[in-house]
Amino acid sequence: MRYWTWWLIFRIFAACNKDKDEDRAYIENDEYEFVTDENGSRVYNEDGEFLVYATDEDGKHVTKENGEKETLGQPFQPIDDKGTYEHYGYKITLPEGWKSTNKTGIFENKEKEQQFEITVVNKIYDDYYTFNKDTYKTLEGQEGIKLTWKDDVKLSDECKGTVRFTMEKDDAIVVMYFFENSGNTYKLLFSSKDKGTAVEDSLAISKAISYKPYQYYPELEQ
């Protein structure tokens, strides 16, 4: 079975959303005049939107009566900030050898023939856990497929209930982590042709992520 065919099969098992073609996956960090704090970090409003300085039709700053610059919320767009990729709910600083792709949240290491994807799943964590555990039980024992399931994996204090689910077949291995953070169910999907280092490499890039306290799907309730 070809490597990318196996990757596609696992994505189907994991109930991944279909990727959408994007002309431009990331904007540059100087696309807008962002409001920053004393440390130079971008400032957000309570909805997780960037705060930017308002300008008029001539590009001049709009000011208040006291002379302060007006600000407004800029709907979030993924940003490439010199190798740190910022999304609505997380940031990732890529380890050496990793590059972004033309799909937001998908990264690759061409030299090692590895790929990594971050997805926020539109499911309650408990439901997603049950779905994947049922998938594991369905596939367990099938000829030619090697599976492992591990609960309580340590990624970070922010990641609650982390599970590692691995699948091996032919010349490839796929490692999936899923967990809950800030009300979101995250899925991290890693593929590699090197089975010997796959878990170690998947942990290295998974731990390069930091998370922000914004919820993608606030309508989801337990």
Side-chain angles (χ1 to χ4, degrees):
M1 184 179 292
R2 294 180 60 188
Y3 171 65
W4 290 113
T5 303
W6 171 239
W7 168 260
L8 177 60
I9 288 175
F10 188 84
R11 286 169 59 82
I12 294 172
F13 284 149
C16 175
N17 295 328
K18 182 178 179 182
D19 294 324
K20 296 180 181 180
D21 291 330
E22 299 179 50
D23 294 329
R24 190 181 183 199
Y26 299 93
I27 63 172
E28 299 296 327
N29 66 329
D30 59 357
E31 184 90 2
Y32 300 102
E33 188 176 356
F34 295 104
V35 178
T36 57
D37 61 20
E38 63 274 9
N39 298 316
S41 299
R42 285 182 284 273
V43 176
Y44 311 89
N45 64 18
E46 61 182 9
D47 297 319
E49 294 179 327
F50 297 117
L51 285 181
V52 300
Y53 289 110
T55 56
D56 61 21
E57 59 186 13
D58 296 320
K60 296 181 180 181
H61 287 118
V62 177
T63 59
K64 303 176 183 179
E65 291 183 1
N66 62 4
E68 290 182 0
K69 298 177 182 177
E70 287 277 8
T71 63
L72 52 84
Q74 171 65 37
F76 187 86
Q77 294 173 268
I79 293 177
D80 175 1
D81 191 357
K82 301 177 181 178
T84 294
Y85 295 87
E86 181 173 350
H87 296 248
Y88 175 72
Y90 65 89
K91 295 181 183 179
I92 179 169
T93 300
L94 295 179
E96 183 177 358
W98 285 91
K99 302 292 183 183
S100 65
T101 68
N102 65 346
K103 307 281 188 179
T104 56
I106 300 180
F107 308 94
E108 62 184 5
N109 187 325
K110 291 184 177 180
E111 182 177 350
K112 291 188 174 182
E113 297 185 88
Q114 296 175 339
Q115 188 167 358
F116 182 71
E117 178 177 2
I118 311 170
T119 305
V120 181
V121 183
N122 191 7
K123 288 181 178 292
I124 295 170
Y125 171 85
D126 289 347
D127 293 344
Y128 197 61
Y129 183 101
T130 300
F131 168 81
N132 281 288
K133 195 60 180 283
D134 288 346
T135 300
Y136 171 79
K137 292 176 179 178
T138 298
L139 296 174
E140 191 176 22
Q142 289 194 16
E143 184 177 356
I145 300 177
K146 181 180 178 180
L147 306 176
T148 66
W149 179 281
K150 183 174 176 58
D151 289 296
D152 300 321
V153 175
K154 181 68 172 180
L155 286 182
S156 75
D157 292 337
E158 302 168 299
C159 304
K160 308 299 182 183
T162 302
V163 172
R164 181 167 65 227
F165 180 11
T166 70
M167 302 177 69
E168 296 182 38
K169 184 174 174 63
D170 299 332
D171 63 345
I173 179 172
V174 178
V175 182
M176 180 174 73
Y177 300 90
F178 65 90
F179 52 87
E180 185 174 21
N181 178 275
S182 294
N184 301 308
T185 300
Y186 281 91
K187 177 182 70 176
L188 312 180
L189 200 58
F190 175 94
S191 70
S192 178
K193 298 186 76 173
D194 187 343
K195 299 177 184 179
T197 67
V199 170
E200 179 182 354
D201 290 346
S202 69
L203 282 171
I205 190 167
S206 296
K207 290 182 178 181
I209 307 169
S210 61
Y211 298 90
K212 297 188 287 186
Y214 304 113
Q215 190 173 2
Y216 280 80
Y217 305 109
E219 71 277 7
L220 292 178
E221 296 181 357
Q222 294 285 354

